Amino acid sequence: MTKFLAKITFHERPWLWKAFLAAALLASFGLRMINLQDPPLDFASTRQLFSALKARGIYYEYVTNVPEATRNLAISLGDVGIVEPPLLEISLGRPID
């Protein structure tokens, strides 16, 4: 088995790399199509909503070609405070309360 795996290299057979990539994309698409009718807010809807508000606020902090009222509203809605302990989130220069 080891000799067989040692013989298969992507550098010698570029078609193998393309076939592997196509199979991986097809498998990921197939997994995505499972339960497609389920709503996106199905497990932790509160966390998903607050994360979306934070991401939108961070995005609008750096965008300059939008109306000022829209920008200020998005930034203020993005500052929702701490809903859960921020274990994996980055403060991006803003102090954590």
Side-chain angles (χ1 to χ4, degrees):
M1 181 74 178
T2 308
K3 290 180 182 180
F4 177 72
L5 292 176
K7 288 181 182 179
I8 298 176
T9 59
F10 291 119
H11 299 292
E12 294 174 1
R13 295 180 180 93
W15 61 268
L16 189 61
W17 174 251
K18 293 174 185 173
F20 175 75
L21 182 63
L25 288 173
L26 190 62
S28 63
F29 180 74
L31 287 174
R32 178 64 185 108
M33 290 297 115
I34 297 173
N35 293 332
L36 189 63
Q37 297 297 322
D38 289 346
L41 299 174
D42 54 349
F43 179 67
S45 58
T46 305
R47 182 176 186 178
Q48 290 175 357
L49 175 65
F50 283 123
S51 295
L53 287 174
K54 285 181 186 181
R56 184 175 180 235
I58 292 170
Y59 172 74
Y60 274 101
E61 281 183 11
Y62 298 104
V63 172
T64 58
N65 59 350
V66 294
E68 193 66 28
T70 304
R71 185 172 181 266
N72 290 336
L73 179 65
I75 292 172
S76 67
L77 288 175
D79 190 23
V80 293
I82 296 178
V83 178
E84 344 178 284
L87 298 176
L88 299 176
E89 297 178 359
I90 302 172
S91 66
L92 294 176
R94 285 189 260 159
I96 296 176
D97 298 339

